[in-house]
Amino acid sequence: MRRYTVLVADDHAIVKEGLVSLLKEHDFDVVGAVGDGHELIDAVRRLRPDLIVTDLSMPGLSGLDVLTRLKAERVDSKVIVLTMHDDAELATRAMRAGACGFLLKHSAGEELLNAIHQAIQGGVYLTPTLTKEVLERMAASPDRSEPQLTARQRDVLRLILEGRRMKEIGATLKLSARTVETHKYQMMQTLGVDSTAALVKYAIEHRLVAD
């Protein structure tokens, strides 16, 4: 019987170690365990796992940013989101971005295994508490498009939300302050806002950057 390869991503060591142990006990081949969004992207490109089990909130790139990049690169790994966020909007965005499963960290290990097996068989899995609302959201606006921010724009936005100045953001991302300003202006144009305060308000209300 084939052993499926799995890559785990979570910035909490105890969670990551627990997931690795659970998956190995059930005959999955865990090929890597990372704690950062950028590390996850690099590992996926290098290892091409059958499955990815990832948190949403991670340093570097969030799980949603990772999903967006993997979708753009046409990576065919199945992605299961495992998060503490009991949020139908986040679940909807994750599913639209290409996730095959969305479940909560307080779920039993059996639920994660169920989600993985459904993904392997070409299905999707939603934690029961969110299923109804997520399906309603997707049915109500099946063609609704999320704001199309680039990964670099999201990096800038995340630092703006932290209250960083343009020069600080530039130093962190190794960009000039002018380039950072350009990214900010382009985001404002894309989102239809006319000030930094309005940009921050929009980003928080629409959860453009996962917590």
Side-chain angles (χ1 to χ4, degrees):
M1 183 177 178
R2 179 187 172 189
R3 292 189 68 190
Y4 289 91
T5 56
V6 186
L7 179 61
V8 172
D10 196 292
D11 61 333
H12 293 96
I14 193 167
V15 174
K16 189 165 52 183
E17 291 168 6
L19 288 171
V20 170
S21 178
L22 174 69
L23 293 166
K24 286 184 175 179
E25 284 176 9
H26 288 81
D27 295 324
F28 289 99
D29 183 8
V30 180
V31 294
V34 300
D36 176 282
H38 290 294
E39 292 176 359
L40 176 54
I41 290 289
D42 291 342
V44 171
R45 290 170 176 163
R46 181 166 38 87
L47 301 170
R48 294 290 172 171
D50 297 311
L51 297 145
I52 301 164
V53 178
T54 182
D55 191 6
L56 282 183
S57 303
M58 293 184 292
L61 292 174
S62 72
L64 287 175
D65 292 335
V66 169
L67 279 165
T68 299
R69 288 198 181 188
L70 296 182
K71 188 174 183 179
E73 295 181 18
R74 301 180 184 276
V75 173
D76 57 7
S77 303
K78 306 289 187 181
V79 182
I80 304 292
V81 171
L82 184 64
T83 178
M84 63 181 289
H85 299 292
D86 189 3
D87 187 314
E89 174 61 23
L90 274 179
T92 303
R93 289 175 60 194
M95 301 306 281
R96 283 201 171 109
C100 295
F102 188 100
L103 60 157
L104 306 178
K105 284 187 175 179
H106 65 245
S107 303
E110 291 178 2
E111 187 176 351
L112 174 59
L113 295 170
N114 183 26
I116 290 174
H117 286 300
Q118 290 202 35
I120 289 172
Q121 294 166 13
V124 298
Y125 181 88
L126 279 167
T127 196
T129 58
L130 296 178
T131 300
K132 183 175 182 292
E133 189 174 351
V134 171
L135 293 179
E136 287 175 349
R137 285 171 179 266
M138 297 186 77
S141 54
D143 297 320
R144 185 180 65 127
S145 58
E146 299 292 344
Q148 296 300 304
L149 300 184
T150 66
R152 178 57 80 192
Q153 286 172 344
R154 288 180 184 273
D155 290 340
V156 170
L157 180 58
R158 185 177 293 104
L159 293 172
I160 289 174
L161 292 176
E162 292 178 5
R164 307 284 191 92
R165 298 176 182 275
M166 296 298 106
K167 285 186 179 180
E168 291 179 290
I169 295 173
T172 300
L173 300 178
K174 295 182 173 56
L175 301 172
S176 69
R178 177 172 293 183
T179 299
V180 174
E181 287 281 4
T182 298
H183 283 307
K184 185 181 78 169
Y185 175 77
Q186 290 172 342
M187 284 190 284
M188 290 166 59
Q189 292 288 101
T190 297
L191 302 176
V193 297
D194 58 7
S195 69
T196 301
L199 174 63
V200 169
K201 183 173 184 290
Y202 186 103
I204 292 172
E205 290 179 347
H206 292 81
R207 303 195 71 163
L208 296 186
V209 177
D211 298 332

